[in-house]
Amino acid sequence: MSKFDLTVEIGGVKFRNPIMTASGTFGYGEEFNEYIDLSKLGGIVTKSVTLNPRPGHKPPRTCETAGGMLNAIGLANVGVDRFITEKIPFLQTLDTNVVVNVAGFSIEEYVTVIDKLNDCDGIAMLEINISCPNVGADGLEFSGSPESAHKLTSELQKISRFPLIIKLSPNVTDIASIAKACEDAGADALSMINTLVGMGVNHNTFEPLLTNVTGGLSGPAIKPVALACVHKVYRSVKIPIIGIGGIMDHFDVAQFIIAGAAAVQFGTANFINPSCTVDAVDGLKNYLRDIDIQCIKELTGKLKV
Amino acid sequence: MIQHPSVPIIKNEKLSKDLFKIVFRSKDLASGLRPGNFVHIRVSPEMDPLFRRAMSIYSCENDTFSVLFRAIGKGTGLLSKMREGDTVDILGPLGNSFDPPDKDETVILVAGGTGVPPLHFLAQWLLSNYGFDGQQILFLCGISSADDLPLSEAVEHLDIRMRTSSDDGSVGFKGYVSELLKTEALPYDIKKLRLYTCGPVPMLREVTKICAEQGIRCQVSLEGHMPCGIGTCLGCVVQSTRGEDEFDRICMEGPVFDSNEVLI
Ligand SMILES: Cc1cc2nc3c(=O)[nH]c(=O)nc-3n(C[C@H](O)[C@H](O)[C@H](O)COP(=O)(O)O)c2cc1C
Ligand code: FES
């Protein structure tokens, strides 16, 4: 038994430690099984699953930027039916919390996907990617206004058998008001941030670097934005926050927790170093020893302002 | 474990103003690498450049392997400055490998520029592990000018047949290597011919077009942006000929594809 307590609780679910992987950067866990011991992680979050299979955007889908990357994968995934038959069996064998990330283009789509997942074992929580356009209504992203975020969250909360994490987008005027709307609608937790809209241009060919023209910026370059979002939201809601954005090591983890997060997710960092998450679990213990704190929960929101 | 956190460099050789050959020591990697495989090298512990750099293999011997590359950007620039004794974090072996030809086939390897390394490794492998006779292997090496002579010299030591072309005519045949292929492939019985190619996209398009027209069996080795190299980001895809909405990951299903499987 380690004398440091890294456990956290989110939406009634116990996590071994506050370290998880971010959606879209960890596949369905299978690939990483070869590199790391998944049971050392607090949890893993799967690639967004949608009602229908999605091939994704045409390449090039990614490019490197200063301290980060742009991606326009286009929510490529096998669709919920194949997810259940092909991916869930492996996920069920894992000794870690499995968080299934769900995306949709109308409230009905989210509802149908969650209905199907409700019948599955081996899922600890759902994370709802609300950075998708509501093509059924105004075509604007669910994450774009407190009203649309509230409506989606309350509809999903009604039918989901699992606790819900709502994943927020930073591409909004006031992330705190959206966060508050989700909390009021019954969200169990919030995660943030999804990627920032960005683009790249080739000055020789005049072409965009991504076929989709714009993409999502992630990696160390977005960490300051993510920290500010976490802190702002921490001051406006009571439910737990999962910090995401440019986290590379245990010091970054600590910074997010101090800013107000209960737990964190590693995204782009997995591409650079497949063992970043397990290294950070070890690093975090040493960090707690150095600052003489026993329990990671004590650190949340300890920012001195 | 396919992450090798500290692989020592035992030699870094500058071949021209921007071409470099680096030799690494790692018994695990050297014994596991097959022609077509690549390694994913972390060129700096810093955040910029962030991504690893994917490199195909030039050669493998006992406990060493080498890569041959052009220093064109920040990442390859950093790698080119590394010295003997420096260590780097490497993931590998990654990706699939070339399908071997039949023993009685003639093999044509068509390389353009820095497409040379994986085909050099393949030629070496055919000679040493598949008992191929040097006369059965024809290496067509396309370079832009005499500045890139080290690329063709990197193949010349092999006891195989070889022709070089250069875009400006300063070395060998004047013109594109695909033009050279048209004349060189002529004397052969198509059914007993196998072609492998690697190089810039326009060249691959030409070469695979010729193969399709003539009915030559051809495999291509592709390069692409590779954020992860291990199949999780879906960022490195190439469009498949299975359909408009079908993509394959270069890092997992590839980097080697049958030329009729992918739309380059
Ligand atoms: C290649 C790639 C694919 C992603 N796919 C998804 C996705 O399917 N669903 C989702 O909610 N977020 C997705 N994200 C966003 C990440 O989960 C995360 O919120 C973001 O990358 C910021 O964290 P990071 O800086 O640690 O990468 C993706 C990010 C990347 C880089
Ligand atoms: S580089 Fe990430 S899937 Fe191929």
Side-chain angles (χ1 to χ4, degrees):
Chain A
M1 268 294 280
S2 147
K3 73 182 180 101
F4 297 103
D5 177 12
L6 291 184
T7 61
V8 293
E9 198 176 307
I10 298 167
V13 177
K14 272 217 153 52
F15 288 76
R16 185 174 286 132
N17 59 58
I19 293 176
M20 308 178 213
T21 61
S23 177
T25 64
F26 209 69
Y28 304 98
E30 288 146 309
E31 291 86 356
F32 278 86
N33 210 14
E34 233 179 299
Y35 291 85
I36 59 172
D37 178 358
L38 297 174
S39 72
K40 288 211 166 126
L41 302 180
I44 68 167
V45 184
T46 55
K47 172 84 190 156
S48 280
V49 62
T50 51
L51 180 57
N52 299 310
R54 289 175 55 87
H57 293 313
K58 288 204 167 18
R61 292 175 169 184
T62 54
C63 69
E64 195 174 14
T65 63
M69 68 177 284
L70 286 169
N71 90 79
I73 307 297
L75 293 178
N77 79 97
V78 295
V80 68
D81 291 333
R82 277 180 61 197
F83 174 77
I84 289 171
T85 52
E86 292 172 20
K87 309 296 177 186
I88 287 275
F90 171 77
L91 293 168
Q92 282 170 341
T93 66
L94 298 180
D95 175 23
T96 190
N97 287 331
V98 173
V99 177
V100 174
N101 181 299
V102 177
F105 297 89
S106 66
I107 293 184
E108 297 71 51
E109 259 190 57
Y110 282 100
V111 167
T112 316
V113 172
I114 294 177
D115 262 340
K116 291 180 186 241
L117 294 173
N118 275 340
D119 295 333
C120 298
D121 291 328
I123 300 174
M125 299 183 86
L126 301 182
E127 181 180 60
I128 311 300
N129 176 359
I130 64 170
S131 309
C132 305
N134 183 356
V135 293
D138 48 16
L140 298 176
E141 290 183 6
F142 290 101
S143 55
S145 75
E147 295 74 31
S148 57
H150 186 284
K151 178 141 193 353
L152 180 65
T153 306
S154 58
E155 294 294 327
L156 303 188
Q157 197 59 258
K158 268 185 231 156
I159 58 131
S160 174
R161 154 168 109 81
F162 310 104
L164 294 186
I165 305 165
I166 308 294
K167 182 168 180 180
L168 303 184
S169 161
N171 305 308
V172 295
T173 324
D174 179 19
I175 193 168
S177 63
I178 316 249
K180 190 84 188 70
C182 295
E183 180 180 48
D184 292 344
D188 296 282
L190 301 168
S191 58
M192 68 202 65
I193 54 178
N194 211 321
T195 53
L196 287 150
V197 176
M199 74 181 265
V201 174
N202 181 326
H203 55 261
N204 292 318
T205 62
F206 292 17
E207 287 171 327
L209 296 181
L210 302 174
T211 305
N212 189 53
V213 185
T214 60
L217 182 64
S218 66
I222 72 167
K223 193 179 86 173
V225 179
L227 277 169
C229 288
V230 166
H231 184 58
K232 192 173 181 192
V233 170
Y234 178 69
R235 289 186 303 179
S236 11
V237 302
K238 300 211 159 43
I239 50 178
I241 298 168
I242 302 168
I244 322 169
I247 298 175
M248 301 297 282
D249 60 21
H250 61 281
F251 292 125
D252 293 335
V253 174
Q255 292 161 22
F256 272 83
I257 295 180
I258 293 166
V264 297
Q265 295 175 9
F266 282 65
T268 304
N270 290 299
F271 304 156
I272 318 310
N273 179 15
S275 53
C276 62
T277 45
V278 292
D279 293 350
V281 172
D282 294 335
L284 205 53
K285 285 181 201 151
N286 295 335
Y287 171 77
L288 287 188
R289 191 193 54 221
D290 292 347
I291 61 165
D292 202 20
I293 285 189
Q294 298 280 306
C295 187
I296 193 81
K297 291 193 271 278
E298 287 170 34
L299 206 58
T300 294
K302 282 287 146 35
L303 189 74
K304 293 182 184 165
V305 276
Chain B
M1 200 65 171
I2 49 183
Q3 180 166 11
H4 309 265
S6 137
V7 179
I9 290 174
I10 56 171
K11 196 170 168 195
N12 180 356
E13 206 179 328
K14 185 169 177 155
L15 305 178
S16 78
K17 77 176 191 315
D18 57 1
L19 289 167
F20 295 82
K21 184 176 134 187
I22 293 188
V23 187
F24 299 94
R25 170 165 288 134
S26 160
K27 205 172 174 54
D28 279 357
L29 277 165
S31 61
L33 287 162
R34 297 288 171 274
N37 287 165
F38 67 96
V39 288
H40 219 19
I41 305 177
R42 188 158 182 200
V43 292
S44 154
E46 304 301 324
M47 308 295 176
D48 190 27
L50 190 61
F51 288 168
R52 288 171 182 266
R53 293 294 183 266
M55 296 263 167
S56 53
I57 308 303
Y58 166 71
S59 177
C60 248
E61 272 130 41
N62 305 319
D63 63 345
T64 67
F65 68 94
S66 54
V67 299
L68 204 167
F69 63 97
R70 198 185 295 283
I72 37 171
K74 208 164 175 176
T76 42
L78 283 173
L79 195 57
S80 74
K81 291 192 186 71
M82 292 199 183
R83 293 285 156 260
E84 185 184 326
D86 290 347
T87 62
V88 284
D89 181 323
I90 297 184
L91 303 182
L94 300 177
N96 67 353
S97 49
F98 294 105
D99 288 343
D102 294 333
K103 289 267 176 330
D104 61 343
E105 286 179 318
T106 296
V107 174
I108 303 187
L109 306 169
V110 186
T114 47
V116 162
L119 298 181
H120 172 270
F121 186 20
L122 175 60
Q124 259 188 339
W125 191 269
L126 292 177
L127 293 172
S128 59
N129 294 51
Y130 277 95
F132 268 67
D133 184 300
Q135 287 304 304
Q136 271 175 280
I137 304 174
L138 172 61
F139 203 113
L140 304 181
C141 180
I143 55 178
S144 51
S145 71
D147 288 345
D148 277 348
L149 210 50
L151 285 172
S152 68
E153 285 166 356
V155 183
E156 274 162 11
H157 72 102
L158 292 176
D159 188 15
I160 57 175
R161 295 164 53 224
M162 182 171 176
R163 294 279 321 265
T164 300
S165 71
S166 59
D167 300 353
D168 66 357
S170 54
V171 188
F173 173 87
K174 180 177 189 319
Y176 291 139
V177 70
S178 47
E179 294 301 315
L180 186 59
L181 168 65
K182 278 185 197 160
T183 51
E184 291 290 331
L186 271 182
Y188 296 101
D189 172 5
I190 302 290
K191 285 194 211 62
K192 289 274 162 237
L193 204 54
R194 260 319 170 100
L195 197 139
Y196 301 89
T197 184
C198 183
V201 166
M203 180 210 104
L204 294 182
R205 285 198 183 121
E206 264 318 297
V207 170
T208 52
K209 195 172 125 217
I210 295 167
C211 290
E213 282 164 7
Q214 314 250 335
I216 304 172
R217 275 201 285 174
C218 170
Q219 284 198 311
V220 289
S221 176
L222 298 180
E223 290 165 11
H225 302 278
M226 286 201 192
C228 75
I230 58 176
T232 57
C233 73
L234 311 180
C236 63
V237 298
V238 58
Q239 187 152 5
S240 156
T241 48
R242 291 190 304 276
E244 169 83 0
D245 279 345
E246 299 277 349
F247 299 99
D248 285 324
R249 295 168 295 184
I250 294 178
C251 71
M252 288 297 277
E253 286 78 46
V256 178
F257 294 94
D258 286 346
S259 61
N260 56 13
E261 285 176 342
V262 285
L263 288 174
I264 304 164

